[in-house]
Amino acid sequence: MRNVVRAVRSARSAYQIGGKDGSFKGFVRGKERNLVNLVGISGYREIGAEGCERSSHSLIVSRALFAPAVNDSSRGMIGSAIDEAGGGPFVEYERRITAGELMDGDNCQVGTLKELQRLYDELVESAEACKLDRYSSSEKAGRSRWFWSRLIPQSSYSPVKGLYLYGGVGTGKTMLMDLFYDQLPSNWRKRRIHFHDFMLNVHSRLQKHKGVTDPLEVVAGEISDEAILLCLDEFMVTDVADALILNRLFGHLFSNGVILVATSNRAPDNLYEGGLQRDLFLPFIATLKERCITHEIGSSVDYRKMTSAEQGFYFVGENLSVFLKQKFEHLIGEHTAGRQEVEVVMGRKLQVPLGANGCAYFPFEDLCDKPLGAADYFGLFKKFHTLALEGVPRFGLHNRTAAYRFVTLVDVMYENKARMICTAAGTPMELFERIVTIADAKNMAPRTSSRSRRNDDLDLCVDNELGFAKDRTISRLTEMNSREYLEQHATILRENQFSQNDTKEDVLQA
């Protein structure tokens, strides 16, 4: 693999990366059986993950194996860390392979890393023109920018286009973007955030600027003052309120010079497919394609399913309430669990039935059958690192809304590297087997028995957004049950505890 990387780096001196003659092709399709254990009480359940055959020239791994990059605080001013061979994602990837921090993946990732390297090189070369250096920037903030723009209309589009990465679940999109982001100089105006969290922040700012003629322009001004390079993970539009403001919001952001790097499971043309008033959303797709280079990650390997779930907390079966509570009590140790309150956005509070020692206990209905959303879940995991969730059901037409909330809950947990211990009516795959896309529904073979067909059809949920999102949720639930993920969770927990202890000591000394 290192030979492939060196060859690509050498080729960069002869031609610009990303040209037709620099493309990498060839992908060996096959099957690789990997068993992921889901531990149950009255029976041992296994899930088999279909994957791709890995060749000797392969790349990238499960995000569960992703290790933090070298601290970029030692880079100094812009460009000082860029040696003759070039810095960025390729160099860091080679370092991690050499150090044993990454394992090999598949050839389909090479093109993506190549695109990220191209963007990195362009940003370094155009750093001054893009106004990336936070210390040399002299832009007016928020309302001041809005005031002057009223007097003198102006725009300053970036000379560098962004990058929109999309592909199947577990193909390494987030890990690749993080690898790219971690190599950027520390003095650049940059931000990496989950799309859910980003939109919550936007709506919160809009509330603050209520009454202004164009609050979206003010909010865009504030965001672009804080970050010119904006990295959004899991770009997915399901909410009509988000859909209706995205074009104007990003129109202002791009006009202010913002460069977008985003990951998604959906191609730009498929965003918000079938959503309410989608015709009003279509101009955003055109804007996105104009300001970003679109790149598909063609890998069909789900690396999350290639982890080993030897220490899983996912229990399949019925009547496991007592057992789950015993597990919960074991996790909280000598602490006493009781009702708690969590503050979420705009003064709202979330009631936690049982909480102690960073662990929260919820029946499924209390988290996913009530009118809660991403804001509530982000608030929950700011206070708790572990969730015990009782009674996750199989999803279908009768509980489609709960399925959407469960998908969002898993997204927020994964983003926060939280731990889940749960009881469920089936494996992750079985939970969503009655959720299908329109294309899946058309390809489904009719039942031989009219009675069985009638019963299945009654609860079959045909929903494109949920049908695509379920693959990501299944993948993430599998990884969250893996040894690698749980070890990473434990490491983060220890680091946070050390940090809190140091803070307490500083307060006592003061």
Side-chain angles (χ1 to χ4, degrees):
M1 185 61 235
R2 291 195 293 274
N3 293 333
V4 174
V5 175
R6 290 193 186 99
V8 173
R9 290 174 59 198
S10 299
R12 287 172 53 212
S13 63
Y15 57 84
Q16 178 67 29
I17 286 182
K20 292 182 179 179
D21 56 341
S23 62
F24 285 77
K25 295 182 180 179
F27 185 52
V28 181
R29 293 188 179 274
K31 293 184 178 180
E32 179 174 295
R33 185 78 172 168
N34 182 63
L35 296 180
V36 180
N37 303 328
L38 296 179
V39 182
I41 300 303
S42 58
Y44 189 77
R45 307 295 301 274
E46 293 183 340
I47 296 178
E50 296 297 333
C52 290
E53 183 177 343
R54 291 178 290 158
S55 69
S56 59
H57 300 292
S58 52
L59 180 65
I60 303 309
V61 302
S62 163
R63 190 182 176 195
L65 300 179
F66 170 63
V70 176
N71 191 336
D72 61 3
S73 61
S74 61
R75 285 175 172 267
M77 298 304 290
I78 295 175
S80 63
I82 311 301
D83 58 24
E84 188 176 348
F90 262 123
V91 174
E92 176 60 14
Y93 171 76
E94 187 176 31
R95 184 196 69 76
R96 293 184 189 185
I97 286 288
T98 303
E101 296 172 9
L102 292 180
M103 57 176 275
D104 283 347
D106 69 80
N107 285 338
C108 296
Q109 300 294 341
V110 175
T112 304
L113 195 62
K114 191 174 63 168
E115 284 295 328
L116 288 166
Q117 182 68 50
R118 174 197 56 75
L119 177 59
Y120 177 91
D121 292 340
E122 287 186 14
L123 289 172
V124 169
E125 186 177 348
S126 306
E128 186 175 347
C130 293
K131 300 178 182 177
L132 283 165
D133 190 344
R134 72 174 71 252
Y135 302 114
S136 64
S137 175
S138 60
E139 295 290 333
K140 304 290 183 184
R143 288 180 180 269
S144 178
R145 180 199 296 276
W146 173 82
F147 173 77
W148 287 107
S149 69
R150 297 297 91 193
L151 297 178
I152 310 173
Q154 54 185 326
S155 63
S156 178
Y157 289 98
S158 169
V160 176
K161 285 191 175 186
L163 186 60
Y164 182 94
L165 303 174
Y166 73 96
V169 299
T171 53
K173 298 181 296 296
T174 297
M175 192 276 285
L176 282 168
M177 186 176 74
D178 285 345
L179 189 147
F180 161 81
Y181 183 83
D182 289 341
Q183 302 317 301
L184 302 172
S186 57
N187 56 316
W188 281 11
R189 290 190 288 158
K190 58 178 182 174
R191 188 180 187 190
R192 187 269 189 215
I193 186 172
H194 192 276
F195 180 73
H196 275 315
D197 209 2
F198 173 74
M199 291 309 301
L200 288 172
N201 182 267
V202 167
H203 287 295
S204 179
R205 291 177 190 248
L206 287 174
Q207 285 290 325
K208 186 175 70 174
H209 295 300
K210 230 174 179 181
V212 174
T213 304
D214 189 353
L216 270 175
E217 186 174 2
V218 178
V219 169
E222 291 178 346
I223 293 171
S224 54
D225 279 329
E226 296 164 5
I228 283 293
L229 182 60
L230 187 61
C231 295
L232 297 181
D233 191 29
E234 298 293 353
F235 203 110
M236 183 180 69
V237 186
T238 56
D239 186 86
V240 65
D242 292 344
L244 295 180
I245 67 171
L246 277 176
N247 189 49
R248 288 179 54 229
L249 172 65
F250 275 89
H252 290 311
L253 288 173
F254 291 139
S255 178
N256 292 340
V258 167
I259 303 158
L260 174 67
V261 178
T263 69
S264 179
N265 294 134
R266 309 296 296 271
D269 289 329
N270 295 332
L271 287 171
Y272 197 52
E273 193 171 31
L276 294 173
Q277 297 181 289
R278 190 172 186 262
D279 56 322
L280 300 178
F281 177 77
L282 294 178
F284 169 70
I285 295 177
T287 301
L288 181 66
K289 290 163 75 173
E290 179 185 352
R291 294 306 311 164
C292 293
I293 292 172
T294 301
H295 179 79
E296 180 181 9
I297 303 179
S299 176
S300 60
V301 180
D302 185 346
Y303 288 98
R304 297 188 190 118
K305 292 181 179 178
M306 296 176 67
T307 53
S308 47
E310 296 177 3
Q311 302 176 13
F313 287 108
Y314 188 108
F315 303 97
V316 178
E318 298 178 355
N319 303 318
L320 298 178
S321 176
V322 174
F323 172 78
L324 185 65
K325 284 181 179 175
Q326 289 173 349
K327 287 288 183 183
F328 176 74
E329 290 169 0
H330 175 74
L331 290 174
I332 65 175
E334 298 178 355
H335 298 265
T336 302
R339 293 187 68 84
Q340 296 193 25
E341 252 184 7
V342 172
E343 290 187 9
V344 291
V345 295
M346 292 178 273
R348 295 211 334 265
K349 293 185 178 179
L350 175 65
Q351 301 297 321
V352 181
L354 288 174
N357 195 28
C359 302
Y361 187 102
F362 277 87
F364 176 84
E365 295 79 8
D366 286 0
L367 267 189
C368 298
D369 269 343
K370 292 184 177 179
L372 302 177
D376 303 282
Y377 302 146
F378 273 111
L380 179 66
F381 294 107
K382 283 179 181 176
K383 185 170 182 178
F384 296 96
H385 56 71
T386 297
L387 170 66
L389 188 63
E390 179 189 337
V392 182
R394 293 178 185 243
F395 299 110
L397 187 61
H398 75 286
N399 59 357
R400 175 170 62 177
T401 303
Y404 266 108
R405 292 196 185 104
F406 183 66
V407 166
T408 301
L409 173 66
V410 172
D411 282 345
V412 173
M413 290 191 71
Y414 189 84
E415 177 69 13
N416 285 273
K417 283 291 174 284
R419 176 175 55 181
M420 177 187 281
I421 172 173
C422 74
T423 60
T427 65
M429 185 74 74
E430 291 167 347
L431 295 181
F432 289 93
E433 62 186 0
R434 285 177 290 195
I435 305 289
V436 297
T437 63
I438 294 173
D440 292 336
K442 289 179 179 178
N443 293 330
M444 290 178 69
R447 302 284 185 179
T448 55
S449 164
S450 60
R451 182 176 179 181
S452 64
R453 180 174 66 248
R454 187 164 55 251
N455 290 338
D456 284 348
D457 289 349
L458 283 175
D459 202 35
L460 187 68
C461 177
V462 182
D463 186 313
N464 261 1
E465 284 298 333
L466 194 55
F468 278 102
K470 75 169 187 179
D471 291 334
R472 181 178 71 253
T473 305
I474 292 168
S475 173
R476 288 185 165 179
L477 284 172
T478 303
E479 184 186 343
M480 289 165 70
N481 190 53
S482 71
R483 183 182 69 250
E484 292 86 352
Y485 182 94
L486 294 172
E487 287 175 350
Q488 188 181 24
H489 168 85
T491 300
I492 294 171
L493 198 58
R494 283 194 298 270
E495 291 173 351
N496 290 341
Q497 288 173 343
F498 288 146
S499 177
Q500 290 171 4
N501 291 337
D502 290 343
T503 302
K504 288 178 182 177
E505 288 179 7
D506 292 341
V507 170
L508 290 173
Q509 289 175 1

